[in-house]
């Protein structure tokens, strides 16, 4: 359905020639031209929201383009990442400086030439904004709703930083988070989960700007989305405001001030806009959403704006200077004032100042691993979820900015921080403080992951936990963690069919294969308590990638390390745990809870005079990162008799057992029964492993 184009702001047939309007229309035309040149992209949202984005950046945000990593800067999150040309235009016009090796340079983050290379191979302007790829981009967005979740995490982190480090006369942290979201975000469940969390936590430092243009790829959102968003967010406990015309910059600035003044609730500003505003034939239609406008439509739109119709990527004289005289001047003053304040803070509060410096620099606190225990041999053993809880508390006690929790499962995942002073991250109304270390995410796995990404983007070290089966709900944020190289720690327990009576809905089968297949994710499935301790020693120094720790519900024997190899071998991903000397006739390999199973089989075969090697393989990706010589020393290529054991899908094991080896794995979903009965039914017994071993020896 065609939407009537409203009169231009000056009522005269095309846009006003004021410098503010020139800046707004520059954003619009750069966005149009970038999408047209790439012959790919989403021009309409950038055209519609240019007035709001310009007003926020030029007149309101505290952000220093010359110092884009300034810790107390306001954050701008473009959750509608498909409108990336809007953000790229803002970064260029604002004069944001490039960042190399964690430091701002004198070079621009983006040039006009970079805008012309939109969506091209190797460009700094990819189809959706990417964190660390383009300076000025605060988080990678694209999958709708993720940016909303990230922004909640950013707001939580600011609250935590302020609670821990602000002191009388030293308000180090008081920044605000602005998130631009759209109808798609409102439809995605992750954004709803995150909004519910934000309302509960009373995050008054968070403002979402919702572009209600009522258009999606398939057409009018009326075909699928007719709810009252205002009432929904009021139900969440948000402060809701409304801008009836996206072109009304004066009213929008007033609403932003209202949002900033509301410190007890997050704010949603509903902005009514017309997608593709100014395009004579495509404005207000799906044709302005996900494809170039076309040369003729662009020519007519530029005519409507009073723009030179034959110029592309045109920036009128005075636009750069005017844009930067607002944001740049304001941000430079605020940044300089903060730097001076921090110098004084270091003198007044040296210990806290050292922590803030470490957070800014991404370094670890001295002695973070000093409390990690060593576990005595114990045939009965302990569940790896329990030993992990012990180690986590030992680490977190010496890692002050490590925060996290679970999706309502901490009694089961053993992730509650219990040491003195840990506390709960809650507003005072709910009996906690914003300086608490335990975060209660509620039954919201998807939001939990995206919130943790936002917390990590603020420099804190987040962890979150749940059952391994529910990593299915967290695949998107885990993937985004990996894309952004964020050191989020994902703790998953109840790792196999040995969950038992809860049945196949709660018994993971394919999840290990899925997580192992995700680039940039380190997955560790430790075999006993001492491997758990070593896993944490490996995970914490990894500040450039997420880690997934997979743990058992059932007890695992704590191996006698005076008999078997030290657990320090875990750092290399796989190591020789036991062998009989000389060239082995057979290699038994396993991960996690199945290692003790192959150890029992090994002891039987050793008594029979068979030379067997046991390999614990807690982390395939760490193993693959080792030199070939080491990998061959653990798994000699000329030993082809091999058995792998894992209570999960066998996908991937062929790499290690070869074409002739055998894998004792799951070939179906599980069942509801006690763990012992399930292990018998699905063949995870010493007898079954011995049978596979003997078949391999006979074949070899």
């Amino acid at each position: 359905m065609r939407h009537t184009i409203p009169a231009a702001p000056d009522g005269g047939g095309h846009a006003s020639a004021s410098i503010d309007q020139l800046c707004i229309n520059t954003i619009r035309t750069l966005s149009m031209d970038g999408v047209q040149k790439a012959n790919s992209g989403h021009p309409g949202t950038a055209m519609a929201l240019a007035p709001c984005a310009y007003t926020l950046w030029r007149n309101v945000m505290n952000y220093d383009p010359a110092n884009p990593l300034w810790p107390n800067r306001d954050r701008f999150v473009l959750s509608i990442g498909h409108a990336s040309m809007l953000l790229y235009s803002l970064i260029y016009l604002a004069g944001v400086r490039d960042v190399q090796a964690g430091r701002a340079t004198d070079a621009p983050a983006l040039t006009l030439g970079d805008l012309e290379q939109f969506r091209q191979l190797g460009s700094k302007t990819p189809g959706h904004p990417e964190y660390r790829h383009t300076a000025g981009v605060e988080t990678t967005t694209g999958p709708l709703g993720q940016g909303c979740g990230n922004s909640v995490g950013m707001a939580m982190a600011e609250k935590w930083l302020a609670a821990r480090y602000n002191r009388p006369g030293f308000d180090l942290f008081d920044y605000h988070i602005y998130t631009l979201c759209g109808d798609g975000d409102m439809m995605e469940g992750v954004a709803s989960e995150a909004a519910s969390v934000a309302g509960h936590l009373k995050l008054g430092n968070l403002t979402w700007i919702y572009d209600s243009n009522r258009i999606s790829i398939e057409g009018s959102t009326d075909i699928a989305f007719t709810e009252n968003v205002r009432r929904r967010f009021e139900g969440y406990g948000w402060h809701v405001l409304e801008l009836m015309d996206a072109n009304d910059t004066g009213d929008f600035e007033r609403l932003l001030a209202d949002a900033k003044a509301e410190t007890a609730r997050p704010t949603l500003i509903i902005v009514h806009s017309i997608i593709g505003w100014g395009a004579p034939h495509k404005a207000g239609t799906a044709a302005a959403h996900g494809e170039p406008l076309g040369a003729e439509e662009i020519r007519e739109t530029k005519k409507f704006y009073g723009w030179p119709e034959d110029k592309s990527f045109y920036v009128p004289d005075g636009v750069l200077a005017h844009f930067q005289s607002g944001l740049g001047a304001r941000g430079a003053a605020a940044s300089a004032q903060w730097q001076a304040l921090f110098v004084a803070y270091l003198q007044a509060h040296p210990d806290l100042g050292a922590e803030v410096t470490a957070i800014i620099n991404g370094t670890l606190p001295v002695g973070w691993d000093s409390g990690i225990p060593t576990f005595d041999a114990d045939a009965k053993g302990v569940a790896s979820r329990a030993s992990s809880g012990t180690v986590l508390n030992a680490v977190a006690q010496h890692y002050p900015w490590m925060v996290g929790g679970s999706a309502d499962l901490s009694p089961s995942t053993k992730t509650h921080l219990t040491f003195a002073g840990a506390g709960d991250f809650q507003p005072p109304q709910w009996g906690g403080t914003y300086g608490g270390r335990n975060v209660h995410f509620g039954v919201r796995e998807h939001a939990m992951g995206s919130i943790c990404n936002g917390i990590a983007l603020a420099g804190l070290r987040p962890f979150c936990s749940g059952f391994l089966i529910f990593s299915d709900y967290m695949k998107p944020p885990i993937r985004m963690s990996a894309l952004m190289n964020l050191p989020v720690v994902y703790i998953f327990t109840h790792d196999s069919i040995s969950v038992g009576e809860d049945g196949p809905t709660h018994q993971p089968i394919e999840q290990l294969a899925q997580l192992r297949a995700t680039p940039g994710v380190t997955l560790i499935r430790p075999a006993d308590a001492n491997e758990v301790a070593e896993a944490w020693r490996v995970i914490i120094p990894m500040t450039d990638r997420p880690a997934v720790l997979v743990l058992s519900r059932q007890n695992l024997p704590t191996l006698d390390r005076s008999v078997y190899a030290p657990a320090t071998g875990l750092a290399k991903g796989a190591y020789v745990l036991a062998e009989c000397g000389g060239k082995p006739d057979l290699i038994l390999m396993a991960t996690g809870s199945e290692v003790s199973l192959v150890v029992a089989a090994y002891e039987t075969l050793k008594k029979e005079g068979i030379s067997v090697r046991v390999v614990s393989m807690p982390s395939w990706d760490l193993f693959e990162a080792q030199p070939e010589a080491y990998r061959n020393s653990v798994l000699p290529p000329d030993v082809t008799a091999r058995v792998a054991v894992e209570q999960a899908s066998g996908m991937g094991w062929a790499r290690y057992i070869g074409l002739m080896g055998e894998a004792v794995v799951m070939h179906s979903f599980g069942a509801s029964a006690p763990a012992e009965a399930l292990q018998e039914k699905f063949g995870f017994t010493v007898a079954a492993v011995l049978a596979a071993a003997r078949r391999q020896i006979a074949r070899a």
Side-chain angles (χ1 to χ4, degrees):
M1 166 179 175
R2 284 281 305 280
H3 287 236
T4 302
I5 305 303
D10 66 355
H14 30 90
S16 165
S18 74
I19 187 63
D20 290 321
Q21 194 64 52
L22 278 177
C23 291
I24 291 168
N25 286 339
T26 300
I27 295 170
R28 285 171 164 150
T29 55
L30 288 175
S31 300
M32 290 159 48
D33 289 340
V35 172
Q36 185 65 30
K37 187 173 188 295
N39 196 30
S40 175
H42 303 74
T45 299
M47 296 162 66
L49 292 184
C52 294
Y54 168 76
T55 301
L56 174 63
W57 277 57
R58 203 271 174 187
N59 297 338
V60 176
M61 275 206 323
N62 281 320
Y63 183 92
D64 183 5
N67 188 10
L69 299 181
W70 167 40
N72 199 41
R73 68 191 181 278
D74 285 347
R75 269 64 168 179
F76 175 78
V77 175
L78 185 74
S79 192
I80 41 175
H82 54 272
S84 54
M85 271 302 298
L86 174 65
L87 179 53
Y88 298 148
S89 300
L90 291 167
I91 290 171
Y92 165 67
L93 294 173
V96 175
R97 299 292 92 184
D98 197 16
V99 172
Q100 295 294 332
R103 295 188 178 276
T105 71
D106 291 332
L110 293 175
T111 66
L112 203 56
D114 291 321
L115 301 190
E116 294 185 41
Q117 291 301 304
F118 178 54
R119 290 188 168 223
Q120 303 309 298
L121 183 64
S123 77
K124 296 170 73 174
T125 49
H128 294 82
E130 297 179 24
Y131 175 65
R132 286 198 176 108
H133 185 80
T134 311
V137 172
E138 298 284 5
T139 181
T140 300
T141 55
L144 289 172
Q146 287 295 321
C148 291
N150 296 165
S151 71
V152 172
M154 292 175 181
M156 291 167 63
E158 188 279 332
K159 287 287 191 182
W160 190 91
L161 289 164
R164 181 169 180 85
Y165 298 113
N166 287 3
R167 291 295 183 270
F170 293 98
D171 287 336
L172 283 187
F173 297 102
D174 60 358
Y175 58 84
H176 204 87
I177 296 88
Y178 297 96
T179 304
L180 209 55
C181 50
D183 291 311
D185 291 296
M186 291 299 126
M187 292 187 237
E188 287 286 1
V190 61
S192 299
E193 291 180 24
S196 180
V197 171
H200 166 78
L201 292 175
K202 302 184 182 300
L203 300 178
N205 55 349
L206 177 66
T207 297
W208 286 6
I209 302 161
Y210 162 38
D211 174 33
S212 179
N213 64 41
R214 311 299 300 171
I215 292 293
S216 63
I217 289 175
E218 292 185 354
S220 169
T221 55
D222 288 347
I223 62 174
F225 185 59
T226 53
E227 69 186 44
N228 189 317
V229 173
R230 181 185 189 105
R231 289 182 182 174
R232 170 154 66 101
F233 274 74
E234 288 173 343
Y236 289 148
W238 285 56
H239 177 221
V240 182
L241 305 171
E242 204 153 358
L243 179 68
M244 300 313 297
D245 180 1
N247 291 300
D248 190 341
T249 56
D251 196 33
F252 183 61
E253 192 165 343
R254 180 186 63 79
L255 294 177
L256 289 171
D258 190 339
K260 189 77 175 286
E262 173 53 71
T263 59
R265 293 177 293 173
T267 295
L268 178 73
I269 302 177
I270 302 173
V271 176
H272 296 276
S273 75
I274 295 177
I275 195 169
W277 188 85
H281 304 101
K282 296 186 177 181
T285 73
H289 177 74
E291 61 187 39
L293 294 177
E296 181 58 25
E297 186 79 357
I298 285 179
R299 188 189 67 79
E300 293 188 42
T301 305
K302 287 179 178 178
K303 182 178 180 181
F304 173 80
Y305 293 156
W307 214 251
E309 299 167 35
D310 59 345
K311 289 187 177 181
S312 293
F313 298 97
Y314 172 58
V315 179
D317 292 343
V319 164
L320 289 170
H322 181 70
F323 198 120
Q324 295 170 22
S325 68
L327 178 70
R330 184 176 62 255
S335 175
Q337 183 180 15
W338 189 90
Q339 296 296 341
L341 183 69
F342 187 53
V343 169
Y345 184 87
L346 290 169
Q347 294 293 319
H349 305 284
D351 292 342
L352 292 176
E355 289 185 14
V356 174
T357 300
I359 291 171
I360 293 171
N361 294 333
T363 55
L364 297 176
V366 175
W368 66 268
D369 57 347
S370 60
I372 294 179
T374 299
F375 295 86
D376 295 334
D378 181 357
K380 179 181 178 182
V382 61
S384 54
R385 63 170 173 166
S387 56
S388 176
T390 300
V391 179
L392 170 61
N393 269 274
V395 170
Q397 192 166 0
H398 297 282
Y399 198 160
W401 53 98
M402 189 174 193
V403 300
S406 77
D408 195 48
L409 288 171
S410 61
S412 294
T413 60
K414 309 301 182 185
T415 50
H416 194 74
L417 301 181
T418 57
F419 53 85
D424 289 338
F425 182 91
Q426 294 277 11
Q429 296 94 321
W430 307 134
T433 73
Y434 287 124
R437 306 275 297 279
N438 288 294
V439 181
H440 300 281
F441 293 100
V443 187
R444 303 182 183 98
E445 287 90 353
H446 199 167
M448 176 171 69
S450 63
I451 286 171
C452 281
N453 284 338
I455 293 173
L457 286 162
L460 305 185
R461 189 64 180 273
F463 64 89
C464 60
S465 66
F467 293 170
L468 180 57
I469 191 69
F470 301 136
S471 66
D472 287 351
Y473 287 179
M474 299 178 68
K475 178 61 168 66
I478 292 173
R479 188 174 192 272
M480 300 304 285
S481 297
L483 274 168
M484 291 190 274
N485 303 114
L486 297 179
V488 179
V489 182
Y490 295 92
I491 303 167
F492 291 124
T493 67
H494 295 58
D495 65 343
S496 67
I497 60 167
S498 293
V499 167
E501 291 88 345
D502 275 338
T505 64
H506 280 53
Q507 294 167 1
I509 301 297
E510 72 278 15
Q511 284 70 28
L512 289 176
Q514 173 178 275
L515 290 163
R516 285 168 176 156
T518 306
V521 172
T522 287
L523 184 145
I524 303 178
R525 187 175 183 235
D528 72 348
N530 285 306
E531 278 199 7
V532 167
E534 293 304 317
W536 279 104
R537 290 187 192 277
V538 168
I539 286 169
I540 294 300
M542 290 193 311
T543 56
D544 63 346
R545 59 173 42 214
V548 173
L549 189 58
V550 179
L551 306 168
S552 73
R553 178 196 184 206
Q554 73 277 17
N555 285 352
L556 305 180
T558 304
L559 299 172
D560 185 344
R561 296 294 171 164
S562 68
V563 175
Y564 303 105
T568 51
L570 175 139
K572 293 185 176 180
Y575 64 103
V576 178
L577 181 64
E579 61 183 336
C580 298
K583 179 182 176 181
D585 299 319
L586 170 73
I587 298 174
L588 295 174
M589 62 189 84
T591 76
S593 54
E594 288 74 71
V595 170
S596 58
L597 185 59
V598 299
V599 166
Y602 156 84
E603 294 292 351
T604 298
L605 294 169
K606 183 171 69 170
K607 291 175 182 177
E608 296 175 2
I610 299 172
S611 181
V612 180
R613 170 176 290 185
V614 175
V615 175
S616 177
M617 300 191 69
S619 178
W620 292 8
D621 62 285
L622 290 178
F623 184 56
E624 292 299 330
Q626 304 307 312
E628 182 180 16
Y630 175 78
R631 287 183 276 124
N632 288 342
S633 74
V634 175
L635 300 175
D638 59 346
V639 180
T640 61
R642 303 182 180 191
V643 175
V645 184
E646 189 170 65
Q647 291 184 43
S649 164
M651 183 175 292
W653 275 111
R655 178 174 181 83
Y656 301 116
I657 62 174
L659 295 176
M660 305 301 292
E662 188 167 341
V664 180
V665 293
M666 290 295 294
H667 300 282
S668 67
F669 294 115
S672 178
E676 296 78 7
L678 294 172
Q679 291 161 6
E680 184 73 32
K681 171 179 172 59
F682 291 105
F684 293 99
T685 62
V686 174
V689 175
L690 286 171
R694 292 186 172 115
R695 286 192 294 270
Q696 284 293 298
I697 293 168
R699 176 196 60 76

